[in-house]
Amino acid sequence: QRYLGTVAISRTLDRRWLAEQPHGQSGVLFVVHQGRILESSLTGLIGRPFAPRNNRLILEGRRFRLARLHLTPAIGELPRLWFGLDETVLLSRLNRHRETIFLIAGLSAIVVLIFGFLIIRHFTRPLTELSNITREVAAGHLPELRKSRRRDEIAQLANHFADMLQALRRKDAEVKRARDELQKTAITDSLTGLYNRRQLGEVFPKLLAEARRSGHGLWGVLIDLDKFKPINDTHGHICGDVVLEQFAARLREHSRANDYLFRMGGEEFLVLTVARDREGVLALAEKLRATMATLRVTCNDSTIGFTISCGVSRARVELDDPDSLRDMLTRADLALYRAKQSGRNQVQVDDEAPAVADTAS
């Protein structure tokens, strides 16, 4: 066979192409080049800076969850194509969907009640059961209704109602899963799955109250990955993210069941633990340090090793919750700084932290 040539088909990514794409009311397409939006299905955003973090971006007060659509150019470099979903719109639609479900259930309940009233003299028992179930549905519950094998009209009605309840339960479960996922993303770090800094403000007062009741101490272990920037510079940010993911997994594996783990930002992490004495906390920090020193992360055919430095401090139970948190983090940060200045890959403890918790506090 003779080779005659190559046929190439191209398509211009312009506003007309964007308008033709089926992306729904909450989805937005972005054509991005050099950190700016060249084109978008939401024309008011054209020309805006585009700098997502962890696949999220806030534009004009709207929070978008982003996914990059990979395009392979024949030659040269193409602008990047992103698809964004407005999280606020999604949550609003889920709530409206849930309200619609219960509205349909309420209307169905009314229909069943009216129908039952007309024939209750002949079919009191099955209609009484349906009536009870409709009251539960109107109250926001979705009970199970077993299907009947009878062939009469009331049995068929009950079976249809059972099918409707099953469908409503499936939809309700979908709404709950979506809501739980949104709530989870609000309190956890999307990369590592650990609690984020916002959740620290919720957890710390509860742990401090527990420490006051038990007479134990509330300790913070502030952890920083040593020389993390060279890892990003040498191996790329994707490998840097893989290192953070592997670190978080090993941190979760080697911490205790009652420890709370947070990503404070970047390569800085925090472990909160309630313990009686300093030695136990230092042993935990040292175990984490030694464990990370042996961890090897494989990414893009490269093996990456790293170490961590830790600063340990104890929360002052005599202070108010916000002041106690700021004070503990400040002193843990100073201890971490000393660990860095002393050569890294070590644990330093705040000089003011007592060896044993003050049980009189």
Side-chain angles (χ1 to χ4, degrees):
Q1 295 181 357
R2 298 174 58 189
Y3 178 77
L4 300 180
T6 301
V7 177
I9 301 175
S10 64
R11 183 66 168 89
T12 303
L13 303 184
D14 54 11
R15 295 184 184 178
R16 180 180 176 183
W17 178 84
L18 290 174
E20 294 173 352
Q21 304 311 305
H23 47 74
Q25 296 181 356
S26 63
V28 180
L29 288 170
F30 301 97
V31 179
V32 179
H33 185 60
Q34 295 183 349
R36 289 199 171 270
I37 301 174
L38 297 181
E39 293 290 347
S40 173
S41 54
L42 196 60
T43 56
L45 301 179
I46 296 175
R48 298 297 180 88
F50 190 90
R53 297 185 62 185
N54 295 328
N55 291 328
R56 292 188 178 185
L57 182 66
I58 298 178
L59 291 171
E60 295 186 346
R62 298 171 63 181
R63 185 184 300 271
F64 291 92
R65 182 185 290 272
L66 300 171
R68 182 180 173 184
L69 307 179
H70 293 277
L71 302 176
T72 304
I75 58 173
E77 180 183 357
L78 285 177
R80 296 181 177 180
L81 182 62
W82 294 78
F83 179 74
L85 288 176
D86 191 329
E87 292 184 352
T88 303
V89 174
L90 285 176
L91 184 58
S92 175
R93 288 185 176 182
L94 289 174
N95 290 331
R96 288 199 302 269
H97 188 56
R98 183 182 179 89
E99 293 172 358
T100 302
I101 288 175
F102 286 113
L103 177 60
I104 293 174
L107 293 175
S108 301
I110 294 174
V111 171
V112 172
L113 287 173
I114 294 175
F115 186 79
F117 178 76
L118 297 176
I119 59 175
I120 194 167
R121 293 181 181 178
H122 302 284
F123 305 97
T124 56
R125 185 174 180 179
L127 285 180
T128 299
E129 182 180 4
L130 285 177
S131 178
N132 292 335
I133 290 178
T134 55
R135 280 195 292 268
E136 290 189 50
V137 172
H141 305 294
L142 297 173
E144 291 189 10
L145 177 62
R146 292 194 301 178
K147 290 187 176 182
S148 173
R149 296 183 179 180
R150 301 198 315 269
R151 298 289 184 177
D152 58 80
E153 291 81 357
I154 297 300
Q156 292 180 9
L157 173 64
N159 290 341
H160 290 320
F161 198 74
D163 291 336
M164 183 194 70
L165 286 175
Q166 185 176 1
L168 289 175
R169 281 194 297 271
R170 286 196 298 266
K171 292 296 183 182
D172 189 57
E174 292 175 7
V175 171
K176 288 180 179 179
R177 283 194 298 269
R179 183 187 60 200
D180 292 342
E181 184 64 24
L182 287 176
Q183 291 176 345
K184 182 180 178 181
T185 58
I187 66 174
T188 58
D189 173 60
S190 59
L191 177 65
T192 63
L194 305 181
Y195 287 129
N196 57 24
R197 189 157 191 160
R198 178 189 301 176
Q199 186 65 4
L200 175 60
E202 299 292 330
V203 172
F204 183 83
K206 299 176 183 179
L207 294 181
L208 190 62
E210 178 184 342
R212 287 168 178 152
R213 289 192 304 268
S214 65
H216 294 174
L218 174 55
W219 301 81
V221 180
L222 195 60
I223 304 171
D224 189 84
L225 276 67
D226 296 328
K227 297 183 179 180
F228 184 72
K229 186 177 183 300
I231 293 177
N232 276 335
D233 294 341
T234 303
H235 302 282
H237 289 279
I238 293 179
C239 287
D241 287 346
V242 173
V243 169
L244 293 177
E245 289 174 338
Q246 293 294 315
F247 165 79
R250 190 63 64 91
L251 178 64
R252 192 181 293 109
E253 178 183 349
H254 289 275
S255 59
R256 297 172 294 193
N258 60 341
D259 295 337
Y260 285 80
L261 312 177
F262 303 85
R263 184 184 182 191
M264 302 296 287
E267 66 272 21
E268 192 172 77
F269 297 81
L270 175 69
V271 178
L272 279 184
T273 183
V274 176
R276 177 169 178 77
D277 55 55
R278 184 175 64 182
E279 297 307 318
V281 181
L282 290 178
L284 170 64
E286 179 59 29
K287 182 179 74 170
L288 294 175
R289 184 207 63 78
T291 298
M292 300 308 169
T294 63
L295 178 61
R296 296 295 180 267
V297 178
T298 301
C299 180
N300 293 340
D301 298 326
S302 298
T303 300
I304 306 171
F306 63 93
T307 60
I308 63 172
S309 297
C310 303
V312 179
S313 67
R314 184 180 71 93
R316 293 174 173 169
V317 296
E318 67 272 12
L319 298 179
D320 293 337
D321 295 349
D323 294 336
S324 181
L325 176 57
R326 283 192 295 268
D327 176 75
M328 184 198 72
L329 291 177
T330 298
R331 289 185 287 110
D333 192 58
L334 291 174
L336 177 60
Y337 177 77
R338 288 199 303 273
K340 294 283 189 180
Q341 293 299 308
S342 300
R344 300 183 176 86
N345 190 25
Q346 58 183 272
V347 177
Q348 289 284 344
V349 64
D350 167 40
D351 294 333
E352 300 180 24
V356 179
D358 185 2
T359 56
S361 297

